[in-house]
PDB file of all heavy atoms in Angstrom:
ATOM      1  N   THR B 110     116.853  72.882 100.343  1.00  0.00           N
ATOM      2  CA  THR B 110     116.663  73.445  99.028  1.00  0.00           C
ATOM      3  C   THR B 110     117.936  74.110  98.518  1.00  0.00           C
ATOM      4  O   THR B 110     118.345  73.913  97.347  1.00  0.00           O
ATOM      5  CB  THR B 110     115.495  74.445  99.038  1.00  0.00           C
ATOM      6  OG1 THR B 110     114.325  73.801  99.475  1.00  0.00           O
ATOM      7  CG2 THR B 110     115.271  75.035  97.620  1.00  0.00           C
ATOM      8  N   LEU B 111     118.594  74.864  99.366  1.00  0.00           N
ATOM      9  CA  LEU B 111     119.861  75.509  98.941  1.00  0.00           C
ATOM     10  C   LEU B 111     120.931  74.475  98.652  1.00  0.00           C
ATOM     11  O   LEU B 111     121.697  74.604  97.680  1.00  0.00           O
ATOM     12  CB  LEU B 111     120.323  76.413 100.054  1.00  0.00           C
ATOM     13  CG  LEU B 111     119.420  77.636 100.386  1.00  0.00           C
ATOM     14  CD1 LEU B 111     119.904  78.336 101.616  1.00  0.00           C
ATOM     15  CD2 LEU B 111     119.340  78.605  99.190  1.00  0.00           C
ATOM     16  N   GLN B 112     120.990  73.412  99.424  1.00  0.00           N
ATOM     17  CA  GLN B 112     121.955  72.361  99.169  1.00  0.00           C
ATOM     18  C   GLN B 112     121.690  71.706  97.820  1.00  0.00           C
ATOM     19  O   GLN B 112     122.628  71.422  97.048  1.00  0.00           O
ATOM     20  CB  GLN B 112     121.900  71.321 100.299  1.00  0.00           C
ATOM     21  CG  GLN B 112     122.876  70.173 100.132  1.00  0.00           C
ATOM     22  CD  GLN B 112     122.781  69.165 101.254  1.00  0.00           C
ATOM     23  OE1 GLN B 112     121.989  69.320 102.168  1.00  0.00           O
ATOM     24  NE2 GLN B 112     123.589  68.123 101.197  1.00  0.00           N
ATOM     25  N   GLU B 113     120.406  71.478  97.502  1.00  0.00           N
ATOM     26  CA  GLU B 113     120.090  70.825  96.242  1.00  0.00           C
ATOM     27  C   GLU B 113     120.474  71.722  95.059  1.00  0.00           C
ATOM     28  O   GLU B 113     120.981  71.219  94.036  1.00  0.00           O
ATOM     29  CB  GLU B 113     118.608  70.520  96.194  1.00  0.00           C
ATOM     30  CG  GLU B 113     118.220  69.750  94.890  1.00  0.00           C
ATOM     31  CD  GLU B 113     116.769  69.350  94.866  1.00  0.00           C
ATOM     32  OE1 GLU B 113     116.050  69.520  95.890  1.00  0.00           O
ATOM     33  OE2 GLU B 113     116.343  68.798  93.817  1.00  0.00           O
ATOM     34  N   ILE B 114     120.276  73.005  95.173  1.00  0.00           N
ATOM     35  CA  ILE B 114     120.648  73.934  94.100  1.00  0.00           C
ATOM     36  C   ILE B 114     122.193  73.793  93.850  1.00  0.00           C
ATOM     37  O   ILE B 114     122.630  73.708  92.694  1.00  0.00           O
ATOM     38  CB  ILE B 114     120.292  75.397  94.467  1.00  0.00           C
ATOM     39  CG1 ILE B 114     118.787  75.570  94.493  1.00  0.00           C
ATOM     40  CG2 ILE B 114     120.931  76.357  93.445  1.00  0.00           C
ATOM     41  CD1 ILE B 114     118.365  76.899  95.085  1.00  0.00           C
ATOM     42  N   ARG B 115     122.952  73.798  94.953  1.00  0.00           N
ATOM     43  CA  ARG B 115     124.387  73.704  94.781  1.00  0.00           C
ATOM     44  C   ARG B 115     124.807  72.341  94.210  1.00  0.00           C
ATOM     45  O   ARG B 115     125.677  72.282  93.329  1.00  0.00           O
ATOM     46  CB  ARG B 115     125.064  73.895  96.168  1.00  0.00           C
ATOM     47  CG  ARG B 115     126.563  74.175  96.088  1.00  0.00           C
ATOM     48  CD  ARG B 115     127.151  74.445  97.436  1.00  0.00           C
ATOM     49  NE  ARG B 115     126.625  75.632  98.078  1.00  0.00           N
ATOM     50  CZ  ARG B 115     127.018  76.867  97.795  1.00  0.00           C
ATOM     51  NH1 ARG B 115     127.928  77.086  96.864  1.00  0.00           N
ATOM     52  NH2 ARG B 115     126.515  77.894  98.450  1.00  0.00           N
ATOM     53  N   GLU B 116     124.149  71.282  94.650  1.00  0.00           N
ATOM     54  CA  GLU B 116     124.490  69.946  94.136  1.00  0.00           C
ATOM     55  C   GLU B 116     124.141  69.830  92.663  1.00  0.00           C
ATOM     56  O   GLU B 116     124.819  69.060  91.908  1.00  0.00           O
ATOM     57  CB  GLU B 116     123.724  68.869  94.936  1.00  0.00           C
ATOM     58  CG  GLU B 116     124.322  68.690  96.357  1.00  0.00           C
ATOM     59  CD  GLU B 116     123.489  67.775  97.204  1.00  0.00           C
ATOM     60  OE1 GLU B 116     122.355  67.397  96.771  1.00  0.00           O
ATOM     61  OE2 GLU B 116     123.922  67.403  98.331  1.00  0.00           O
ATOM     62  N   LEU B 117     123.123  70.560  92.213  1.00  0.00           N
ATOM     63  CA  LEU B 117     122.774  70.557  90.787  1.00  0.00           C
ATOM     64  C   LEU B 117     123.740  71.349  89.926  1.00  0.00           C
ATOM     65  O   LEU B 117     123.688  71.282  88.687  1.00  0.00           O
ATOM     66  CB  LEU B 117     121.362  71.076  90.595  1.00  0.00           C
ATOM     67  CG  LEU B 117     120.213  70.126  91.074  1.00  0.00           C
ATOM     68  CD1 LEU B 117     118.913  70.899  91.108  1.00  0.00           C
ATOM     69  CD2 LEU B 117     120.115  68.939  90.149  1.00  0.00           C
ATOM     70  N   GLY B 118     124.576  72.120  90.552  1.00  0.00           N
ATOM     71  CA  GLY B 118     125.612  72.873  89.854  1.00  0.00           C
ATOM     72  C   GLY B 118     125.340  74.349  89.655  1.00  0.00           C
ATOM     73  O   GLY B 118     126.080  75.009  88.921  1.00  0.00           O
ATOM     74  N   ALA B 119     124.326  74.889  90.337  1.00  0.00           N
ATOM     75  CA  ALA B 119     124.028  76.303  90.272  1.00  0.00           C
ATOM     76  C   ALA B 119     124.389  77.002  91.577  1.00  0.00           C
ATOM     77  O   ALA B 119     124.545  76.362  92.608  1.00  0.00           O
ATOM     78  CB  ALA B 119     122.540  76.522  89.932  1.00  0.00           C
ATOM     79  N   ALA B 120     124.506  78.306  91.550  1.00  0.00           N
ATOM     80  CA  ALA B 120     124.798  79.088  92.760  1.00  0.00           C
ATOM     81  C   ALA B 120     123.486  79.410  93.443  1.00  0.00           C
ATOM     82  O   ALA B 120     122.588  79.979  92.807  1.00  0.00           O
ATOM     83  CB  ALA B 120     125.526  80.369  92.387  1.00  0.00           C
ATOM     84  N   PRO B 121     123.353  79.097  94.720  1.00  0.00           N
ATOM     85  CA  PRO B 121     122.104  79.318  95.424  1.00  0.00           C
ATOM     86  C   PRO B 121     122.014  80.719  96.051  1.00  0.00           C
ATOM     87  O   PRO B 121     122.964  81.273  96.566  1.00  0.00           O
ATOM     88  CB  PRO B 121     122.118  78.252  96.570  1.00  0.00           C
ATOM     89  CG  PRO B 121     123.574  78.076  96.854  1.00  0.00           C
ATOM     90  CD  PRO B 121     124.322  78.325  95.588  1.00  0.00           C
TER      91      PRO B 121
END
Side-chain angles (χ1 to χ4, degrees):
T110 301
L111 296 171
Q112 181 180 0
E113 184 175 355
I114 293 170
R115 196 176 296 280
E116 289 174 350
L117 288 167

